[in-house]
Amino acid sequence: MDDGSRNAEGAEAEVASGLAKVTPSAQPPEEARGPSVGPIATVAGGIPAVVSAMRHVYGEMDVVRGTRLLLKVNQKEGFDCPGCAWPDPGHRSMAEFCENGAKAVAEEAMSARVTPEFFRQWSVAELSLQTDHWLGKQGRLTQPMVLREGATHYEPLSWDDAFALVAEELNSLDSPHAASFYTSGRTSNEAAFLYQLFVRQFGTNNLPDCSNMCHESSGSALNETVGIGKGTVTLEDFDKADAIFVIGQNPGTNHPRMLSSLESAARRGCQIVSINPLPETGLNRFKHPQDVLHLIGPGTALNTLFLQVRINGDAALLQGLGKALFEMEDARPGSVVAKAFIEDKTLGFDAYAAHMRAVNWEDVEEGSGVPRARIVEAAELLARSERTIFCWAMGLTQHRNGVACIQEIVNLALLRGGIGKPGAGLCPVRGHSNVQGDRTMGIWEKPPAALLASLEREFGFKPPRHHGMDVVETLKAMHDGRVKVFFALGGNFLSATPDTEFTAEALRRTRLTAHVSTKLNRAHLVHGRRALILPCLGRTEHDVQAAGTQFVTVENSMGVVSTSRGSVAPASEHLLSEPVIVARLASAVLGARSSVPWLLLTEDYDRIRERIARVIPGFDDFNRRVREPGGFALPNGPREGRFTTASGKAHFTVHGLPRIPLEPGQLLMMTIRTHDQFNTTVYGLDDRYRGIRNGRRVVLLHPSDMKALGLSADQLVDLRSHFEGETRLARAFRVVPYNIPKGCAATYFPEANVLIPVNSFAEKSRTPTSKSVVISITPVAETRSLPAGAVA
């Protein structure tokens, strides 16, 4: 448009962004009522968590099947939870799952099925008008489906025909770089290894993955400063820490099993500091659902100190902590700064010290929104702690300065000598169950030279050396016609990515979109000229190949590799495992061009692991070690006191404070999850811990901002984002007054993704800035039709 705006104009654009109008009859009755706001929960877990978990599990399957599955979740001979990547303890209880883990199992193992008959009844246009919640509740996919050019309905096809169709499209491309191959974080190590091998033999490093959108900033920050793009602590370190800082993270919803580690730490006297724009119930009090003695009563208090920082005020606060520590060191020389550690193990300290001493307290307070006295209180706690763990998640990574913000955490840890000793270190808390393992296996658009050399030695081909496309570049390349085929191994790409309308148009401009999936999702409904749905086995299901029943492996947030074995019959006889899908695809596409015995490898997954052991560092004797109870930990130099940077030392870094100018009437918005979802999967319509029920299209605002903008509670408003002269529109959100810093707003993901500009991403990591979106708010007439998903 000439005015630089990109709004949802017309029915097609509305459907693409999940904003299409629907009639009341198209929505389940409970959704048509709209959102309601009640009391905010004061304690996480407890009996309500048990009731919620059982309601979801036994609502989706019978009692025998549901109970059998729950008793196998995260067990040494069971399957890895399809949800988060929090590690399993050495001694496991009979019920080693959380409320949201139970929801994830129920969502995968539900009894409902999406059959070819379902697709005959529903056109793609009709399905596009349904909410994400409704789509997910239709059940498991049962057969490969194709949407032919010009068709209105998906129809079934054979696996051979599906692979032949992909091969036809890929082999007709002018260049292998005209294809892009996405990966979700639920993919196993075995499937991920085969996938990256296939893509590189095809001739490209176009391997965007979900890391690009979440923890890429962590990897960039940590690789530069300590030499490894992973955390440096183990689960056992939480039993030894004197203090734990939880920054930009909501473990009560996103990693509920972490609460048991925090509860245990708090009970033995560990000090817990949470830093976040929203006060989260899961960091206030917790009742362990399996602790019968404590189910009655107020629960265990977790937070020692809560610092309510402004959105993107974390960098200013972290620099304030550093400045306060130097002031304490000046007052008590030798008591705060770990001089011997710094001299022996680090570089760049003098520049960092000079910068910290020059930092202005007024800038810190203004940038963070936290008074100096509260920052000093947290710094004093940090100074007293000999063993401190710093945890963080996407509240830090999804800002333009996300990499710099995480490096400020590294600065504090180095200043205290807090990396490479028990009970201390860095803990980026990953979201998806094997997102870290996928990167270890080589799913990366910027592959290290050592990995490519190992692949060449093992498989006898020359992998492409130039960097491929990440998620943002893939979106742009599809949009301008450079990428013509898009293949996704898992995930809901349309809903997970930023700039929903831009992404939708990008997908439409391709010749083929193909998605390996377990459930129906919105990515299947916005497609290229032709589209494929390729249904795969889930984590919960038996995987039987020529050599017998197989297992796969995963890597958790703390670098432990373990097995995952499904325990129930597959949802359909037509399902294939992800490793088999990749192997058959590679065989169909590459043919005689590849000497890799693709099909032979998948007859027995031990053969895949033998190849992994020869290519990926740390996987020596893989098949034996992973069969040991609990698996094995990968090497981690910084954890062991060895920094694996080029210099062999850790690096202090210096950063300026971010400035995001807001015009009158503008707010800084972040996207968040409800308690009833995991990533793009919507389990239900409630956010129990925040008191919001039966609705998702809400915007949380400070009461004083509501007054200044002339808004009232429950008022219907439109949200408009502003970036480099462009505007984007998301319609029909309900105003909810909330305890959020002034000048800030919060909305749910993925409904507000339409507001996130494709060109707004973090420096170095290129992670979309989902936590730093400048918006304005406009009231709308209550009589206007609500869009699809408006209350879902």
Side-chain angles (χ1 to χ4, degrees):
M1 294 185 177
D2 292 338
D3 63 358
S5 65
R6 288 219 306 275
N7 298 335
E9 301 288 351
E12 189 177 39
E14 290 172 341
V15 169
S17 55
L19 301 177
K21 294 182 176 65
V22 294
T23 61
S25 62
Q27 294 176 299
E30 70 275 10
E31 297 183 33
R33 291 197 304 270
S36 63
V37 181
I40 296 172
T42 58
V43 60
I47 293 174
V50 176
V51 172
S52 176
M54 296 306 101
R55 178 170 57 84
H56 278 83
V57 171
Y58 299 133
E60 300 292 357
M61 65 191 92
D62 64 69
V63 173
V64 173
R65 178 183 172 92
T67 302
R68 178 183 176 188
L69 283 170
L70 290 179
L71 294 178
K72 288 288 188 179
V73 183
N74 295 321
Q75 299 297 334
K76 293 177 181 177
E77 295 299 318
F79 61 89
D80 189 64
C81 178
C84 81
W86 189 252
D88 304 317
H91 176 72
R92 304 181 195 188
S93 66
M94 199 166 115
E96 195 57 57
F97 58 88
C98 66
E99 174 190 352
N100 280 0
K103 292 175 184 176
V105 171
E107 193 75 8
E108 178 180 296
M110 62 170 49
S111 301
R113 299 288 182 264
V114 174
T115 64
E117 177 59 29
F118 173 90
F119 285 107
R120 281 192 287 271
Q121 293 175 354
W122 290 87
S123 71
V124 172
E126 290 169 334
L127 289 172
S128 297
L129 298 178
Q130 305 305 312
T131 68
D132 289 350
H133 179 234
W134 186 91
L135 292 173
K137 292 302 179 185
Q138 301 316 298
R140 286 288 300 279
L141 296 161
T142 59
Q143 287 184 237
M145 306 297 296
V146 61
L147 184 68
R148 303 191 188 277
E149 187 170 0
T152 59
H153 291 66
Y154 275 98
E155 60 185 77
L157 81 169
S158 70
W159 278 106
D160 284 344
D161 287 344
F163 294 129
L165 191 157
V166 180
E168 172 196 335
E169 288 285 4
L170 289 177
N171 287 329
S172 67
L173 296 173
D174 294 333
S175 164
H177 309 307
S180 192
F181 301 86
Y182 178 74
T183 317
S184 158
R186 67 170 295 282
T187 304
S188 69
N189 288 328
E190 290 74 13
F193 181 79
L194 292 183
Y195 194 52
Q196 62 83 32
L197 176 61
F198 156 60
V199 171
R200 292 187 167 111
Q201 281 214 333
F202 180 66
T204 185
N205 284 315
N206 288 348
L207 283 161
D209 75 323
C210 57
S211 284
N212 295 155
M213 294 180 287
C214 55
H215 267 287
E216 198 70 58
S217 295
S218 297
S220 298
L222 298 178
N223 268 314
E224 285 185 357
T225 53
V226 300
I228 191 170
K230 304 179 181 183
T232 68
V233 299
T234 66
L235 190 60
E236 291 71 27
D237 286 319
F238 280 76
D239 297 326
K240 302 169 186 175
D242 301 323
I244 300 171
F245 281 64
V246 182
I247 313 171
Q249 184 189 357
N250 176 18
T253 288
N254 299 330
H255 321 90
R257 287 200 299 151
M258 181 180 177
L259 295 183
S260 60
S261 296
L262 295 178
E263 178 192 52
S264 176
R267 285 182 177 177
R268 63 175 177 78
C270 178
Q271 307 292 290
I272 298 174
V273 178
S274 65
I275 301 170
N276 205 51
L278 298 179
E280 300 291 8
T281 298
L283 285 167
N284 180 35
R285 287 184 173 272
F286 175 61
K287 292 182 182 180
H288 198 305
Q290 297 180 44
D291 187 349
V292 178
L293 295 178
H294 291 87
L295 282 179
I296 306 300
T300 301
L302 299 185
N303 271 340
T304 304
L305 185 63
F306 169 53
L307 303 180
Q308 189 169 21
V309 70
R310 287 182 182 142
I311 293 176
N312 202 20
D314 308 272
L317 189 143
L318 293 167
Q319 289 201 11
L321 289 175
K323 183 171 184 64
L325 290 176
F326 276 106
E327 290 176 349
M328 294 174 195
E329 174 69 14
D330 291 342
R332 305 186 302 272
S335 65
V336 176
V337 175
K339 291 185 177 179
F341 174 90
I342 290 168
E343 291 174 1
D344 184 45
K345 300 281 190 178
T346 74
L347 295 173
F349 172 74
D350 289 342
Y352 173 69
H355 176 71
M356 284 295 98
R357 296 183 191 282
V359 165
N360 186 292
W361 272 113
E362 287 73 19
D363 291 339
V364 168
E365 290 185 297
E366 180 183 354
S368 67
V370 179
R372 175 177 178 176
R374 296 280 285 173
I375 298 174
V376 170
E377 185 180 356
E380 288 173 343
L381 187 153
L382 178 55
R384 292 193 302 269
S385 172
E386 291 299 320
R387 296 174 298 277
T388 303
I389 294 175
F390 293 93
C391 305
W392 69 90
M394 288 186 286
L396 294 192
T397 64
Q398 293 181 323
H399 297 287
R400 184 171 181 83
N401 60 310
V403 172
C405 198
I406 293 159
Q407 290 181 341
E408 294 291 1
I409 292 177
V410 176
N411 287 337
L412 293 175
L414 296 177
L415 190 64
R416 295 287 295 132
I419 301 177
K421 66 180 182 181
L426 308 170
C427 183
V429 183
R430 305 278 184 169
H432 228 323
S433 57
N434 196 43
V435 62
Q436 187 159 294
D438 289 350
R439 181 57 55 86
T440 302
M441 290 296 107
I443 300 292
W444 196 11
E445 77 281 358
K446 297 182 289 188
L451 169 66
L452 300 181
S454 292
L455 290 171
E456 183 172 354
R457 284 195 304 271
E458 179 65 22
F459 295 103
F461 76 104
K462 290 190 176 297
R465 255 56 184 183
H466 64 278
H467 290 173
M469 299 179 188
D470 59 14
V471 164
V472 168
E473 186 57 33
T474 292
L475 292 176
K476 294 179 181 179
M478 288 193 295
H479 200 274
D480 65 21
R482 286 179 289 133
V483 163
K484 298 177 175 61
V485 175
F486 177 78
F487 192 99
L489 187 61
N492 180 353
F493 188 75
L494 176 70
S495 294
T497 47
D499 214 335
T500 312
E501 292 172 25
F502 184 92
T503 297
E505 184 58 29
L507 289 166
R508 286 198 193 94
R509 294 181 181 184
T510 62
R511 294 188 340 207
L512 174 69
T513 51
H515 297 270
V516 177
S517 307
T518 57
K519 304 284 294 296
L520 185 65
N521 66 56
R522 197 158 298 279
H524 304 140
L525 310 178
V526 180
H527 49 78
R529 274 185 286 176
R530 294 194 285 182
L532 284 170
I533 300 174
L534 307 176
C536 66
L537 293 174
R539 288 275 179 87
T540 57
E541 294 167 321
H542 288 305
D543 181 355
V544 180
Q545 304 301 332
T549 302
Q550 303 297 307
F551 66 84
V552 293
T553 64
V554 295
E555 178 187 347
N556 66 34
S557 269
M558 296 176 186
V560 175
V561 180
S562 60
T563 62
S564 180
R565 295 177 173 84
S567 60
V568 296
S572 164
E573 63 181 348
H574 301 292
L575 303 184
L576 297 180
S577 73
E578 286 184 323
V580 170
I581 290 174
V582 174
R584 289 185 61 177
L585 176 63
S587 181
V589 172
L590 300 176
R593 286 178 285 163
S594 174
S595 62
V596 176
W598 296 102
L599 303 183
L600 184 65
L601 289 175
T602 56
E603 289 180 359
D604 184 344
Y605 295 173
D606 276 359
R607 296 169 184 166
I608 306 173
R609 288 185 283 272
E610 288 171 2
R611 298 301 188 101
I612 292 173
R614 296 202 288 264
V615 172
I616 307 296
F619 284 82
D620 312 82
D621 203 10
F622 189 4
N623 277 312
R624 180 190 64 79
R625 293 164 68 206
V626 81
R627 284 176 164 85
E628 295 176 356
F632 64 93
L634 292 173
N636 188 305
R639 178 186 297 162
E640 299 152 13
R642 298 178 293 101
F643 294 107
T644 46
T645 59
S647 65
K649 296 193 175 187
H651 294 259
F652 283 94
T653 51
V654 174
H655 306 281
L657 293 180
R659 305 281 183 184
I660 303 179
L662 297 176
E663 297 178 5
Q666 291 183 342
L667 305 166
L668 193 61
M669 184 199 82
M670 64 179 181
T671 62
I672 57 177
R673 297 178 189 167
T674 72
H675 192 61
D676 259 1
Q677 78 178 97
F678 183 75
N679 290 347
T680 59
T681 302
V682 178
Y683 302 135
L685 303 178
D686 297 340
D687 195 352
R688 187 174 78 244
Y689 290 160
R690 297 191 182 104
I692 300 169
R693 295 184 178 274
N694 201 58
R696 294 182 53 84
R697 292 185 79 86
V698 297
V699 55
L700 311 185
L701 300 175
H702 191 280
S704 67
D705 288 326
M706 291 171 53
K707 182 178 180 180
L709 295 171
L711 303 174
S712 58
D714 201 40
Q715 185 171 359
L716 193 66
V717 298
D718 289 342
L719 310 179
R720 193 181 304 270
S721 68
H722 305 268
F723 179 77
E724 296 183 348
E726 295 179 343
T727 62
R728 289 161 176 80
L729 179 67
R731 297 183 294 182
F733 283 69
R734 294 285 180 181
V735 172
V736 173
Y738 207 81
N739 182 8
I740 185 171
K742 294 178 184 179
C744 298
T747 54
Y748 291 133
F749 154 99
E751 286 79 2
N753 281 6
V754 67
L755 298 171
I756 302 165
V758 70
N759 285 316
S760 181
F761 46 78
E763 296 165 345
K764 296 184 179 179
S765 71
R766 293 172 56 84
T767 298
T769 58
S770 302
K771 298 291 190 289
S772 290
V773 183
V774 176
I775 66 166
S776 57
I777 301 179
T778 306
V780 298
E782 292 287 333
T783 56
R784 195 180 72 191
S785 299
L786 294 183
V791 292

